[in-house]
């Protein structure tokens, strides 16, 4: 019997599934007739599964609900996944996964493209759908197809926007004038000189800072990739941390947070103050995450090898770091210069071989009878008039 809940405008259905458990599921409709028809369909499917072992129908909503419940405690992107599911839901809600085809995924992609959504964003949405299906197939033995697999669009190279040294100095100067965010300048200094992500810095605790060893530690729970790493401190980064340590000693000596308010609570956001500093510094088209790009760009431009930059930034593979490779033409120039040596070496070998061949020829020329030269300087005899 279908029914309505007080907290929902749509009808719900209640039936016993093939395993004998009571299931209560939303029908997604405000029409009682449609709800009853859908409930009858569910009951029939449960009977077919129990009697003949038929594969039960699975809906998009079931998949995402179960997938979210199973992974939210272990996935670092659980909050972002929630936003992604909200984008997918209007198009796929109530859809039977067994009936979904690649044309359905293509239709979704076309719809998102027509809305002006970037390829990279669409890829994340399709990627989550595909990951959820694969998770269900692997962990719950759901015998369902994956039409989202292999449907990603070609995405442009990742955005790389970096500051010049002069721009960075202007930005820090304006950040030092911020009244609402007294730590903004030191945050920028740390980001520029460590390449850390915003969250990695704002969640940093003093227990993981070692000023004697000039580094701080990031645990697997602190990084996007889930990998531990230590971050070395140069003079600028150390100065920033000492400034923050003095603030802590003056206002909140018991606070565990490196970026803390005067009452010791964690400072969680700096975006508004950052945007004001950018505007006052006359810097456009720049985001907080671009401080990380700037650090990487400066390192590569200074000739640091990509693997070293990868390790500092905590990229899972050097492929992520290769977006900065174009900033190091000197490395490529040095590689090409090696070919000069190869060419000179090859030329010398050829000269040596030619010389040896010539010597052999001169040693044996007395034994060789040469044919008359074409175009010889000898004058031809005059032809007789008698012919």
């Amino acid at each position: 019997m279908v029914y309505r809940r007080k907290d929902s405008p749509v009808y719900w259905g209640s039936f016993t599934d093939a395993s004998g458990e009571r299931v209560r599921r939303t029908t997604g409709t405000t029409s009682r007739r449609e709800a009853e028809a859908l409930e009858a369909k569910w009951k029939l499917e449960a009977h077919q599964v129990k009697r003949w072992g038929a594969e039960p129908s699975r809906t998009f909503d079931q998949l995402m609900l179960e997938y979210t419940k199973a992974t939210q405690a272990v996935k670092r992107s659980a909050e972002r996944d929630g936003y992604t599911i909200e984008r997918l839901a209007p198009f796929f809600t109530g859809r039977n996964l067994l009936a979904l085809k690649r044309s359905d995924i293509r239709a979704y992609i076309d719809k998102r493209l027509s809305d002006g959504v970037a390829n990279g964003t669409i890829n994340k949405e399709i990627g989550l759908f595909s990951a959820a299906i694969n998770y269900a197939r692997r962990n719950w033995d759901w015998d369902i197809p994956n039409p989202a697999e292999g449907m990603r669009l070609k995405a442009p190279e990742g955005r790389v926007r970096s500051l010049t040294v002069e721009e960075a100095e202007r930005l820090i100067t304006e950040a030092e004038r911020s009244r609402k965010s007294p730590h903004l300048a030191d945050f920028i200094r740390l980001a520029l000189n460590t390449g850390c992500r915003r969250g990695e810095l704002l969640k940093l605790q003093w227990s993981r800072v070692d000023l004697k060893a000039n580094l701080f530690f990031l645990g697997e729970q602190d990084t996007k990739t889930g990998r531990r790493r230590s971050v070395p401190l140069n003079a600028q980064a150390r100065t920033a941390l000492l400034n923050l340590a003095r603030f802590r000693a003056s206002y909140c000596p018991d606070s565990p947070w490196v970026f803390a308010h005067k009452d010791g609570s964690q400072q969680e956001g700096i975006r508004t103050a950052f945007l004001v500093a950018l505007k006052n510094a006359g810097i456009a088209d720049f985001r907080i995450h671009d401080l990380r790009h700037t650090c990487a760009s400066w390192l590569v431009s200074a000739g640091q090898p990509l693997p070293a930059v990868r390790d500092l930034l905590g990229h899972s593979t050097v492929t992520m770091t290769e977006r900065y490779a174009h900033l190091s033409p000197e490395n490529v120039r040095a590689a090409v210069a090696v070919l000069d040596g190869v060419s000179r070496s090859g030329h010398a070998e050829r000269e040596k071989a030619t010389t040896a061949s010539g010597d052999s020829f001169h040693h044996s020329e007395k034994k060789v009878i040469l044919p008359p030269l074409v175009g010889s300087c000898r004058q031809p005899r005059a032809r007789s008039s008698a012919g």
Side-chain angles (χ1 to χ4, degrees):
M1 191 73 176
V2 297
Y3 64 97
R4 270 182 171 164
R5 291 179 7 176
K6 293 181 180 180
D7 60 345
S8 176
V10 300
Y11 282 97
W12 287 63
S14 176
F15 63 97
T16 303
D17 66 12
S19 64
E21 293 185 3
R22 173 62 59 179
V23 176
R24 293 176 175 83
R25 185 187 302 171
T26 176
T27 65
T29 179
T30 56
S31 168
R32 184 179 187 89
R33 179 175 295 181
E34 290 180 3
E36 289 176 341
L38 187 56
E39 184 189 53
K41 177 176 175 290
W42 291 338
K43 289 179 178 179
L44 175 60
E45 288 175 346
H47 174 74
Q48 291 173 334
V49 172
K50 183 177 181 180
R51 187 71 179 269
W52 299 295
E55 182 67 23
S57 64
R58 315 281 191 181
T59 66
F60 167 85
D61 309 85
Q62 284 177 273
L63 172 67
M64 290 305 174
L65 178 62
E66 296 300 324
Y67 178 71
T68 301
K69 287 167 56 178
T71 62
Q72 63 182 354
V74 295
K75 284 195 71 175
R76 300 173 195 281
S77 60
E79 183 177 358
R80 186 184 67 199
D81 287 353
Y83 295 126
T84 301
I85 293 172
E86 289 179 4
R87 303 293 182 271
L88 292 163
F91 195 91
F92 292 108
T93 187
R95 303 285 290 274
N96 184 350
L97 298 177
L98 289 172
L100 275 183
K101 299 179 181 179
R102 296 178 74 82
S103 58
D104 297 309
I105 306 300
R106 182 71 249 179
Y108 174 80
I109 292 174
D110 291 342
K111 173 65 169 59
R112 296 293 280 158
L113 287 172
S114 68
D115 292 339
V117 180
N119 287 16
T121 300
I122 297 173
N123 285 344
K124 290 178 182 178
E125 295 166 358
I126 297 301
L128 176 64
F129 196 0
S130 179
I133 292 174
N134 287 337
Y135 187 93
R137 292 167 60 170
R138 182 175 60 251
N139 294 280
W140 307 325
D141 297 321
W142 283 19
D143 188 12
I144 54 177
N146 187 353
E149 197 166 42
M151 293 292 286
R152 290 172 178 258
L153 301 172
K154 182 178 180 180
E157 291 187 4
R159 177 182 186 276
V160 177
R161 165 73 165 95
S162 60
L163 295 175
T164 64
V165 173
E166 189 272 335
E167 285 177 324
E169 290 175 350
R170 289 206 322 262
L171 180 60
I172 291 174
T173 298
E174 293 301 330
E176 287 175 335
R177 297 171 180 167
S178 176
R179 295 181 178 179
K180 293 185 177 180
S181 184
H183 302 323
L184 180 60
D186 289 319
F187 173 89
I188 294 172
R189 290 189 184 96
L190 273 177
L192 287 174
N193 289 279
T194 65
C196 286
R197 300 176 177 88
R198 180 186 64 85
E200 292 171 345
L201 291 178
L202 293 182
K203 294 178 182 178
L204 184 62
Q205 298 186 30
W206 285 111
S207 60
R208 291 188 273 113
V209 177
D210 188 343
L211 288 173
K212 290 183 179 179
N214 276 336
L215 52 81
F216 61 80
F217 301 94
L218 296 176
E220 59 183 19
Q221 74 280 2
D222 306 309
T223 65
K224 181 180 178 181
T225 59
R227 296 183 179 183
R228 297 187 298 271
R229 76 178 192 271
S230 58
V231 180
L233 304 175
N234 62 6
Q236 289 290 324
R238 179 180 172 83
T239 297
L241 282 172
L242 288 175
N243 290 340
L244 293 163
R246 283 191 285 269
F247 178 91
R248 181 196 189 207
S250 298
Y251 297 103
C252 49
D254 296 326
S255 176
W257 306 107
V258 171
F259 288 93
H261 296 291
K262 288 184 178 180
D263 63 1
S265 61
Q266 179 188 7
Q267 181 176 350
E268 297 180 345
I270 60 169
R271 184 173 182 273
T272 301
F274 184 76
L275 292 176
V276 171
L278 283 175
K279 182 178 179 181
N280 292 339
I283 298 172
D285 186 31
F286 195 81
R287 304 173 304 190
I288 292 176
H289 193 75
D290 292 331
L291 295 170
R292 177 173 164 86
H293 291 322
T294 300
C295 174
S297 299
W298 287 358
L299 287 171
V300 174
S301 297
Q304 292 303 305
L306 293 182
V309 179
R310 172 202 61 196
D311 293 341
L312 176 65
L313 270 62
H315 286 156
S316 56
T317 67
V318 77
T319 303
M320 292 288 293
T321 322
E322 285 176 348
R323 69 173 70 180
Y324 307 105
H326 69 285
L327 299 172
S328 184
E330 291 304 320
N331 290 346
V332 181
R333 185 175 290 114
V336 174
V338 173
L339 298 178
D340 287 335
V342 174
S343 299
R344 285 192 295 269
S345 175
H347 180 70
E349 290 295 327
R350 288 193 298 273
E351 286 287 337
K352 183 178 180 181
T354 301
T355 301
S357 176
D359 291 344
S360 175
F361 169 77
H362 288 304
H363 286 306
S364 59
E365 64 180 338
K366 294 180 181 179
K367 301 179 181 179
V368 178
I369 300 175
L370 298 177
L373 297 176
V374 176
S376 170
C377 293
R378 185 185 304 170
Q379 295 296 322
R381 290 185 300 175
R383 181 176 296 179
S384 170
S385 58

